[in-house]
Amino acid sequence: MGFQKPPGTQDFLPGSVEKWQFVESKARDICRRFNFREIRTPMFEMTELYKRGVGETTDIVEKEMYTFTDRGDRSLTLRPEGTAGAVRAYVENKLYGEPDLTKLYYIGPMFRYERQQAGRYRQFHQFGVEALGAVDPALDAEVIALGYTFYTEVGLKDVRVEINSVGTPAVRAAFRERLLEFLNPMREILCKDCQSRMERNPLRVLDCKNDQHHFVEAPSILDSLDEECRMHFEALQQHLSGMNIPYDINPRLVRGLDYYTHTAFEYKAQGIGAIDTIGGGGRYNGLVADIGGPDQPGVGLGIGLERTVMLLEAQGVQLDNLHQVDLYMVALGEAAEREVTRLLHGLRLRGISAERDYQGRKMKAQMKSADRLQVRFTAILGDDELERGEIALKNMTTGEQKFVKLDQLADEILS
């Protein structure tokens, strides 16, 4: 028997990995423009970090974490999301001591033991940002705008933004009582997960995918907001409108993590089976203090890259040649073979992508290889051309052919 990849994982092969490189480079460029700086944290953390940071009543902590005990008898967990680790690094490295706002981003794999389906993997990849040190709702709007800009610039269409306010702990405590009054009469007809959540965290019931039809008449948390929360939410909407970011208010949007306060948001799009959420985030003003740091506010987002790439394919977004080879060189004769080796190295040092044959194939087969690579130029060097210090160069787009001096080849391709 041969080996196979573990369930819920993927191999990203040449031909498809270029799409990943495209969306990752777009994410990095957008973060540069929004002045977010990259952070790289470990792929595993102490288990207690996720229990405290993500929340013990969340599906992530209860059902989905990859947790193990190491040889030092420490409980460690492969990271199921990026915020807790980024905030831990923010606290441990005392980034809160810097005078300016801390704006971070990360791109990397996350791990959750989930039921396999389209757009849901056990090793998946996220692009996330975290902004720490300010309560200004303009910062919430900036984070939402960053994610929306990412989706727009990679070429996706019909991406929607949904927003809600989940208030403060005090607001949620008051709303909890109103919500339980609504839920208790239907307790027996709800799914087992909802029945369990009613005891520990009733707001999470509204996040259930199975029983949404029962919650049409549920009370809205927006009716329980205090003045501070209402002003924050109204200001958020004004900032989004000022940036022409389209949005809808969804009063049942609570997200699946316990650390959110005030703003919660999601990005929605159709095209991945029953899944329509492709990213989301919110404000988490108490999280830094919860994991041992000073009481610093924060807001962030997480974007699923698998779902982004799947939507690009589902929407038929045509990307340019993502693996562009500039030049294919053909050598005819032993002396030309040696010279092509030297020329190739020099061209690559000049920033030119170049390739040649290493399998001893005839020129016709080599030219077919050049066609498959969709190169911009082909160059043929024989012993006669070598004696004259020239090479035959063909522009594969225009069909133009000419001889150029060997020492001018790089300049000709770069011009």
Coordinates of all heavy atoms in Angstrom, one line a residue, residues 326-401:
D326 N 10.0 33.8 -19.0 CA 10.4 34.8 -20.1 C 11.0 34.2 -21.3 O 10.7 34.5 -22.4 CB 11.3 35.8 -19.5 CG 10.7 36.6 -18.3 OD1 9.6 37.1 -18.5 OD2 11.4 36.7 -17.3
L327 N 11.9 33.2 -21.1 CA 12.7 32.7 -22.2 C 13.0 31.2 -22.1 O 13.2 30.7 -21.0 CB 14.1 33.4 -22.1 CG 15.2 33.0 -23.1 CD1 14.8 33.4 -24.5 CD2 16.5 33.6 -22.7
Y328 N 12.9 30.6 -23.3 CA 13.3 29.2 -23.4 C 14.5 29.1 -24.4 O 14.4 29.6 -25.5 CB 12.2 28.3 -23.9 CG 12.4 26.8 -23.8 CD1 12.0 26.1 -22.7 CD2 13.2 26.1 -24.7 CE1 12.2 24.7 -22.6 CE2 13.5 24.8 -24.6 CZ 12.9 24.1 -23.5 OH 13.2 22.7 -23.4
M329 N 15.6 28.5 -23.9 CA 16.8 28.5 -24.7 C 17.1 27.1 -25.3 O 17.0 26.1 -24.6 CB 18.0 29.0 -23.9 CG 17.9 30.4 -23.4 SD 19.5 31.0 -22.8 CE 20.4 31.3 -24.3
V330 N 17.4 27.1 -26.6 CA 17.7 25.8 -27.3 C 19.1 25.9 -27.7 O 19.6 26.8 -28.4 CB 16.7 25.6 -28.5 CG1 17.1 24.3 -29.3 CG2 15.3 25.6 -28.1
A331 N 19.9 24.8 -27.4 CA 21.3 24.7 -27.7 C 21.5 23.6 -28.7 O 21.0 22.5 -28.6 CB 22.1 24.4 -26.5
L332 N 22.2 23.9 -29.8 CA 22.5 22.9 -30.9 C 24.0 22.8 -31.0 O 24.7 23.6 -31.5 CB 21.9 23.4 -32.2 CG 20.4 23.7 -32.2 CD1 20.0 24.3 -33.6 CD2 19.6 22.5 -31.9
G333 N 24.5 21.7 -30.4 CA 26.0 21.5 -30.4 C 26.6 21.5 -29.0 O 26.0 22.2 -28.1
E334 N 27.7 20.9 -28.8 CA 28.3 20.8 -27.5 C 28.8 22.1 -27.0 O 28.6 22.5 -25.8 CB 29.5 19.8 -27.5 CG 29.1 18.4 -27.7 CD 30.3 17.4 -27.6 OE1 31.4 17.9 -27.2 OE2 30.1 16.2 -27.9
A335 N 29.4 22.9 -27.9 CA 29.9 24.2 -27.4 C 28.7 25.2 -27.1 O 28.8 25.9 -26.1 CB 30.8 24.9 -28.5
A336 N 27.7 25.1 -27.9 CA 26.5 25.9 -27.6 C 25.8 25.4 -26.3 O 25.3 26.3 -25.5 CB 25.5 25.8 -28.7
E337 N 25.9 24.1 -26.0 CA 25.3 23.6 -24.7 C 26.0 24.3 -23.5 O 25.4 24.8 -22.6 CB 25.5 22.1 -24.6 CG 24.6 21.3 -25.5 CD 23.3 20.9 -24.8 OE1 23.1 21.3 -23.6 OE2 22.4 20.3 -25.5
R338 N 27.4 24.3 -23.6 CA 28.1 25.0 -22.5 C 27.8 26.4 -22.4 O 27.7 27.0 -21.3 CB 29.6 24.7 -22.7 CG 30.0 23.2 -22.5 CD 31.6 23.1 -22.5 NE 32.2 23.5 -23.7 CZ 32.4 22.6 -24.8 NH1 32.0 21.4 -24.7 NH2 33.0 23.1 -25.9
E339 N 27.7 27.1 -23.5 CA 27.5 28.6 -23.5 C 26.1 28.9 -23.0 O 25.9 29.8 -22.2 CB 27.6 29.1 -24.9 CG 27.4 30.6 -25.0 CD 28.3 31.5 -24.2 OE1 29.4 30.9 -23.7 OE2 28.1 32.7 -24.0
V340 N 25.1 28.0 -23.3 CA 23.7 28.2 -22.8 C 23.7 28.1 -21.3 O 23.0 28.9 -20.6 CB 22.7 27.2 -23.5 CG1 21.4 27.1 -22.7 CG2 22.4 27.7 -24.9
T341 N 24.4 27.2 -20.7 CA 24.5 27.1 -19.3 C 25.0 28.4 -18.6 O 24.4 28.9 -17.7 CB 25.4 25.9 -18.9 OG1 24.9 24.7 -19.4 CG2 25.5 25.8 -17.3
R342 N 26.0 28.9 -19.3 CA 26.6 30.2 -18.7 C 25.6 31.3 -18.9 O 25.3 32.1 -18.0 CB 27.9 30.5 -19.5 CG 28.6 31.7 -18.9 CD 29.8 32.2 -19.8 NE 29.3 32.7 -21.0 CZ 28.9 34.0 -21.2 NH1 28.9 34.8 -20.1 NH2 28.5 34.5 -22.3
L343 N 24.9 31.4 -20.1 CA 24.0 32.5 -20.4 C 22.8 32.4 -19.5 O 22.3 33.5 -19.0 CB 23.5 32.4 -21.9 CG 24.5 32.9 -22.9 CD1 24.0 32.5 -24.3 CD2 24.8 34.4 -22.8
L344 N 22.2 31.2 -19.3 CA 21.1 31.1 -18.4 C 21.3 31.6 -17.0 O 20.5 32.3 -16.5 CB 20.7 29.6 -18.3 CG 19.7 29.0 -19.3 CD1 19.5 27.5 -19.0 CD2 18.4 29.8 -19.2
H345 N 22.5 31.3 -16.5 CA 22.8 31.8 -15.1 C 22.8 33.3 -15.1 O 22.3 33.9 -14.1 CB 24.1 31.2 -14.6 CG 24.4 31.5 -13.2 ND1 23.6 31.1 -12.1 CD2 25.4 32.2 -12.7 CE1 24.2 31.6 -11.0 NE2 25.3 32.3 -11.3
G346 N 23.5 33.9 -16.0 CA 23.6 35.3 -16.1 C 22.2 36.0 -16.2 O 21.9 37.0 -15.6
L347 N 21.3 35.4 -17.1 CA 20.0 35.9 -17.3 C 19.2 35.9 -16.0 O 18.5 36.8 -15.6 CB 19.3 35.2 -18.4 CG 19.8 35.3 -19.8 CD1 19.2 34.4 -20.8 CD2 19.6 36.8 -20.3
R348 N 19.3 34.8 -15.3 CA 18.5 34.6 -14.0 C 19.0 35.6 -13.0 O 18.2 36.1 -12.2 CB 18.7 33.2 -13.5 CG 17.9 32.2 -14.4 CD 18.3 30.8 -14.2 NE 17.5 29.8 -14.9 CZ 17.8 28.5 -15.1 NH1 18.9 28.0 -14.6 NH2 17.0 27.7 -15.8
L349 N 20.3 35.9 -13.0 CA 20.8 36.9 -12.0 C 20.3 38.3 -12.4 O 20.2 39.2 -11.5 CB 22.3 36.9 -12.0 CG 23.0 35.7 -11.5 CD1 24.5 35.8 -11.5 CD2 22.6 35.4 -10.1
R350 N 19.9 38.5 -13.6 CA 19.3 39.8 -14.0 C 17.8 39.9 -13.8 O 17.2 40.9 -14.1 CB 19.6 40.0 -15.5 CG 21.0 40.3 -15.9 CD 21.5 41.7 -15.6 NE 20.7 42.7 -16.2 CZ 20.9 43.2 -17.4 NH1 21.9 42.8 -18.2 NH2 20.1 44.2 -17.9
G351 N 17.2 38.8 -13.2 CA 15.8 38.8 -12.9 C 14.9 38.2 -14.0 O 13.7 38.3 -13.9
I352 N 15.5 37.5 -14.9 CA 14.8 37.0 -16.1 C 14.5 35.5 -15.7 O 15.4 34.7 -15.3 CB 15.6 37.1 -17.4 CG1 15.7 38.6 -17.7 CG2 14.9 36.3 -18.5 CD1 16.7 38.8 -18.9
S353 N 13.2 35.1 -15.9 CA 12.9 33.7 -15.8 C 13.2 32.9 -17.0 O 12.7 33.2 -18.1 CB 11.4 33.5 -15.4 OG 11.0 32.2 -15.4
A354 N 14.1 31.9 -16.9 CA 14.6 31.2 -18.1 C 14.7 29.7 -17.9 O 14.9 29.3 -16.8 CB 15.9 31.8 -18.6
E355 N 14.5 29.0 -19.0 CA 14.5 27.5 -18.9 C 15.2 26.9 -20.2 O 15.4 27.6 -21.2 CB 13.1 27.0 -18.8 CG 13.0 25.5 -18.6 CD 13.7 25.0 -17.3 OE1 14.9 24.9 -17.4 OE2 13.0 24.8 -16.3
R356 N 15.7 25.7 -20.1 CA 16.3 25.0 -21.2 C 16.0 23.5 -21.0 O 15.4 23.0 -20.1 CB 17.8 25.2 -21.1 CG 18.5 24.7 -19.8 CD 20.0 24.5 -20.0 NE 20.2 23.3 -20.9 CZ 21.5 23.0 -21.2 NH1 22.5 23.6 -20.7 NH2 21.7 21.9 -22.0
D357 N 16.4 22.7 -22.0 CA 16.2 21.3 -22.0 C 17.4 20.6 -21.3 O 18.5 20.9 -21.5 CB 16.1 20.7 -23.4 CG 15.9 19.2 -23.5 OD1 14.9 18.7 -23.0 OD2 16.8 18.6 -24.0
Y358 N 17.1 19.6 -20.5 CA 18.1 18.7 -19.9 C 17.9 17.3 -20.2 O 18.6 16.4 -19.6 CB 18.0 18.9 -18.3 CG 18.5 20.3 -17.9 CD1 17.5 21.3 -17.5 CD2 19.8 20.6 -17.7 CE1 17.9 22.5 -17.1 CE2 20.2 21.9 -17.3 CZ 19.2 22.8 -17.0 OH 19.6 24.1 -16.6
Q359 N 17.0 16.9 -21.1 CA 16.7 15.5 -21.4 C 17.2 15.1 -22.8 O 16.9 14.0 -23.2 CB 15.2 15.3 -21.3 CG 14.6 15.6 -19.9 CD 13.1 15.6 -19.9 OE1 12.5 16.5 -20.4 NE2 12.5 14.5 -19.4
G360 N 18.1 15.9 -23.4 CA 18.6 15.5 -24.7 C 17.6 15.4 -25.8 O 17.8 14.6 -26.8
R361 N 16.5 16.1 -25.8 CA 15.5 16.0 -26.8 C 15.9 16.8 -28.0 O 16.7 17.8 -28.0 CB 14.2 16.5 -26.2 CG 13.6 15.7 -25.1 CD 12.3 16.3 -24.5 NE 12.6 17.6 -23.9 CZ 11.6 18.2 -23.3 NH1 10.4 17.7 -23.2 NH2 11.9 19.4 -22.7
K362 N 15.2 16.5 -29.1 CA 15.5 17.2 -30.4 C 14.8 18.5 -30.3 O 14.0 18.8 -29.5 CB 14.9 16.4 -31.6 CG 15.6 15.0 -31.8 CD 15.2 14.3 -33.0 CE 15.9 13.0 -33.2 NZ 17.3 13.2 -33.3
M363 N 15.2 19.4 -31.3 CA 14.7 20.8 -31.2 C 13.2 20.9 -31.3 O 12.6 21.7 -30.6 CB 15.3 21.6 -32.4 CG 15.0 23.1 -32.2 SD 15.8 24.2 -33.4 CE 15.0 23.8 -34.9
K364 N 12.5 20.0 -32.1 CA 11.1 20.1 -32.2 C 10.4 19.8 -30.9 O 9.5 20.5 -30.5 CB 10.6 19.0 -33.2 CG 9.1 19.1 -33.5 CD 8.7 18.1 -34.6 CE 7.2 18.1 -34.8 NZ 6.8 17.2 -35.9
A365 N 10.9 18.8 -30.1 CA 10.4 18.5 -28.8 C 10.6 19.7 -27.8 O 9.8 20.0 -27.0 CB 11.0 17.2 -28.3
Q366 N 11.8 20.3 -28.0 CA 12.1 21.4 -27.1 C 11.1 22.6 -27.4 O 10.7 23.3 -26.4 CB 13.5 21.9 -27.3 CG 14.6 20.8 -26.8 CD 16.0 21.4 -26.9 OE1 16.3 22.5 -26.4 NE2 16.9 20.6 -27.4
M367 N 10.8 22.8 -28.6 CA 9.9 23.9 -29.0 C 8.5 23.7 -28.5 O 7.8 24.6 -28.1 CB 9.9 24.2 -30.5 CG 11.3 24.6 -31.0 SD 11.9 26.1 -30.2 CE 10.8 27.3 -30.8
K368 N 8.1 22.4 -28.4 CA 6.8 22.1 -27.9 C 6.8 22.4 -26.4 O 5.8 22.8 -25.8 CB 6.5 20.6 -28.1 CG 6.1 20.3 -29.6 CD 5.7 18.8 -29.7 CE 5.3 18.5 -31.2 NZ 4.9 17.1 -31.3
S369 N 7.9 22.1 -25.7 CA 8.0 22.4 -24.3 C 7.9 23.9 -24.1 O 7.2 24.3 -23.1 CB 9.4 21.9 -23.7 OG 9.5 22.2 -22.4
A370 N 8.5 24.7 -24.9 CA 8.4 26.1 -24.8 C 7.0 26.6 -25.0 O 6.5 27.5 -24.3 CB 9.3 26.8 -25.9
D371 N 6.2 26.0 -25.9 CA 4.8 26.3 -26.1 C 4.0 26.0 -24.9 O 3.1 26.7 -24.5 CB 4.3 25.5 -27.3 CG 4.8 26.1 -28.6 OD1 5.2 27.2 -28.7 OD2 4.7 25.3 -29.6
R372 N 4.3 24.8 -24.2 CA 3.5 24.5 -23.0 C 3.8 25.4 -21.9 O 2.9 25.7 -21.1 CB 3.9 23.0 -22.6 CG 3.4 21.9 -23.5 CD 3.5 20.6 -22.8 NE 4.9 20.2 -22.7 CZ 5.6 19.5 -23.6 NH1 5.1 19.2 -24.8 NH2 6.9 19.2 -23.4
L373 N 5.0 26.0 -21.8 CA 5.3 27.0 -20.8 C 4.8 28.4 -21.1 O 4.8 29.2 -20.3 CB 6.9 27.0 -20.6 CG 7.5 25.9 -20.0 CD1 9.1 26.0 -20.0 CD2 7.1 25.7 -18.5
Q374 N 4.3 28.5 -22.4 CA 3.8 29.8 -22.8 C 4.9 31.0 -22.6 O 4.6 32.0 -22.0 CB 2.5 30.2 -22.1 CG 1.4 29.2 -22.4 CD 0.1 29.6 -21.7 OE1 0.1 30.1 -20.6 NE2 -1.0 29.2 -22.3
V375 N 6.1 30.7 -23.0 CA 7.2 31.6 -22.8 C 7.0 32.9 -23.7 O 6.3 32.8 -24.7 CB 8.5 31.0 -23.1 CG1 8.8 29.8 -22.2 CG2 8.6 30.5 -24.6
R376 N 7.6 34.0 -23.3 CA 7.6 35.2 -24.1 C 8.5 35.1 -25.3 O 8.2 35.7 -26.3 CB 7.9 36.4 -23.2 CG 6.9 36.6 -22.1 CD 7.4 37.7 -21.1 NE 7.7 38.9 -21.8 CZ 8.8 39.6 -21.6 NH1 9.7 39.3 -20.6 NH2 9.1 40.7 -22.3
F377 N 9.7 34.5 -25.1 CA 10.7 34.5 -26.1 C 11.3 33.0 -26.2 O 11.3 32.3 -25.2 CB 11.9 35.4 -25.8 CG 11.5 36.9 -25.8 CD1 11.1 37.5 -24.6 CD2 11.6 37.6 -27.0 CE1 10.8 38.8 -24.6 CE2 11.2 39.0 -27.0 CZ 10.8 39.6 -25.8
T378 N 11.8 32.7 -27.3 CA 12.6 31.5 -27.5 C 13.9 32.0 -28.1 O 14.0 33.0 -28.9 CB 12.0 30.4 -28.4 OG1 11.7 31.0 -29.7 CG2 10.8 29.8 -27.7
A379 N 15.0 31.3 -27.8 CA 16.3 31.7 -28.3 C 17.0 30.4 -28.7 O 17.1 29.4 -27.9 CB 17.1 32.5 -27.3
I380 N 17.6 30.4 -29.9 CA 18.3 29.2 -30.4 C 19.7 29.6 -30.7 O 20.1 30.6 -31.3 CB 17.6 28.7 -31.7 CG1 16.2 28.4 -31.5 CG2 18.4 27.5 -32.3 CD1 15.4 28.0 -32.8
L381 N 20.6 28.8 -30.1 CA 22.1 29.0 -30.2 C 22.7 27.8 -30.8 O 22.7 26.7 -30.2 CB 22.7 29.3 -28.8 CG 24.2 29.6 -28.9 CD1 24.5 31.0 -29.6 CD2 24.7 29.7 -27.4
G382 N 23.3 27.9 -32.0 CA 24.1 26.9 -32.6 C 25.5 27.3 -32.7 O 25.9 28.4 -32.3
D383 N 26.4 26.3 -33.1 CA 27.8 26.6 -33.2 C 28.1 27.8 -34.1 O 29.0 28.6 -33.8 CB 28.6 25.4 -33.6 CG 28.6 24.3 -32.5 OD1 28.3 24.6 -31.3 OD2 28.8 23.1 -32.8
D384 N 27.4 27.9 -35.2 CA 27.7 29.0 -36.1 C 27.4 30.4 -35.5 O 28.1 31.3 -35.6 CB 26.8 28.9 -37.4 CG 27.3 27.7 -38.3 OD1 28.5 27.2 -38.0 OD2 26.5 27.3 -39.1
E385 N 26.2 30.4 -34.8 CA 25.8 31.7 -34.1 C 26.8 32.0 -33.0 O 27.2 33.2 -32.8 CB 24.4 31.6 -33.5 CG 23.3 31.5 -34.5 CD 23.0 30.1 -35.1 OE1 23.7 29.2 -34.6 OE2 22.2 30.0 -35.9
L386 N 27.3 30.9 -32.3 CA 28.2 31.1 -31.2 C 29.5 31.8 -31.8 O 30.1 32.6 -31.1 CB 28.5 29.8 -30.5 CG 29.4 29.8 -29.3 CD1 28.9 30.8 -28.3 CD2 29.6 28.4 -28.7
E387 N 30.0 31.3 -32.9 CA 31.2 31.9 -33.5 C 31.0 33.4 -33.8 O 32.0 34.1 -33.7 CB 31.6 31.1 -34.8 CG 32.2 29.8 -34.5 CD 32.7 29.1 -35.8 OE1 32.8 29.8 -36.9 OE2 33.0 27.9 -35.8
R388 N 29.8 33.8 -34.2 CA 29.6 35.2 -34.5 C 29.2 36.0 -33.3 O 29.1 37.2 -33.4 CB 28.4 35.3 -35.5 CG 28.7 34.6 -36.9 CD 27.7 35.1 -37.9 NE 26.3 34.9 -37.5 CZ 25.5 33.8 -37.7 NH1 26.1 32.8 -38.4 NH2 24.3 33.8 -37.3
G389 N 29.1 35.3 -32.1 CA 28.7 36.0 -30.9 C 27.3 36.5 -30.9 O 26.9 37.5 -30.3
E390 N 26.4 35.7 -31.6 CA 25.0 36.1 -31.7 C 24.1 34.9 -31.3 O 24.5 33.8 -31.2 CB 24.7 36.5 -33.2 CG 25.4 37.7 -33.7 CD 25.0 38.0 -35.1 OE1 24.6 37.1 -35.9 OE2 25.1 39.2 -35.5
I391 N 22.8 35.2 -31.2 CA 21.8 34.2 -30.9 C 20.5 34.6 -31.6 O 20.2 35.8 -31.7 CB 21.6 34.1 -29.3 CG1 20.8 32.8 -29.0 CG2 20.9 35.3 -28.7 CD1 20.7 32.4 -27.5
A392 N 19.8 33.6 -32.1 CA 18.5 33.8 -32.8 C 17.4 34.0 -31.7 O 17.2 33.0 -30.9 CB 18.2 32.7 -33.7
L393 N 16.7 35.1 -31.7 CA 15.7 35.4 -30.7 C 14.3 35.6 -31.4 O 14.2 36.3 -32.3 CB 16.1 36.6 -29.9 CG 15.1 37.0 -28.8 CD1 15.2 36.0 -27.6 CD2 15.4 38.4 -28.2
K394 N 13.3 34.9 -30.9 CA 12.0 35.0 -31.4 C 11.0 35.5 -30.3 O 10.9 34.9 -29.2 CB 11.5 33.7 -32.0 CG 10.1 33.8 -32.6 CD 9.7 32.4 -33.2 CE 8.3 32.5 -33.8 NZ 7.8 31.2 -34.4
N395 N 10.2 36.5 -30.7 CA 9.2 37.0 -29.8 C 7.9 36.2 -30.1 O 7.4 36.2 -31.2 CB 8.9 38.5 -30.1 CG 7.9 39.1 -29.1 OD1 6.8 38.5 -28.8 ND2 8.2 40.3 -28.6
M396 N 7.5 35.4 -29.1 CA 6.4 34.4 -29.3 C 5.1 35.1 -29.4 O 4.1 34.5 -29.8 CB 6.4 33.4 -28.2 CG 7.7 32.6 -28.1 SD 8.1 31.7 -29.6 CE 7.0 30.3 -29.5
T397 N 5.0 36.3 -29.0 CA 3.7 37.1 -29.1 C 3.5 37.7 -30.5 O 2.5 37.6 -31.1 CB 3.6 38.2 -28.0 OG1 3.8 37.6 -26.7 CG2 2.3 38.9 -28.1
T398 N 4.6 38.3 -31.0 CA 4.5 39.0 -32.3 C 5.0 38.2 -33.4 O 4.7 38.5 -34.6 CB 5.3 40.3 -32.2 OG1 6.7 40.0 -32.1 CG2 4.9 41.2 -31.1
G399 N 5.8 37.1 -33.1 CA 6.4 36.3 -34.2 C 7.6 36.9 -34.8 O 8.3 36.3 -35.6
E400 N 8.0 38.1 -34.3 CA 9.3 38.7 -34.8 C 10.5 37.9 -34.5 O 10.7 37.4 -33.3 CB 9.4 40.1 -34.3 CG 10.6 40.8 -34.7 CD 10.8 42.2 -34.0 OE1 10.0 42.5 -33.1 OE2 11.8 42.9 -34.3
Q401 N 11.4 37.7 -35.4 CA 12.7 37.0 -35.2 C 13.8 37.9 -35.6 O 13.7 38.6 -36.6 CB 12.7 35.7 -36.0 CG 11.6 34.7 -35.7 CD 11.7 33.4 -36.5 OE1 12.7 32.7 -36.4 NE2 10.8 33.2 -37.4

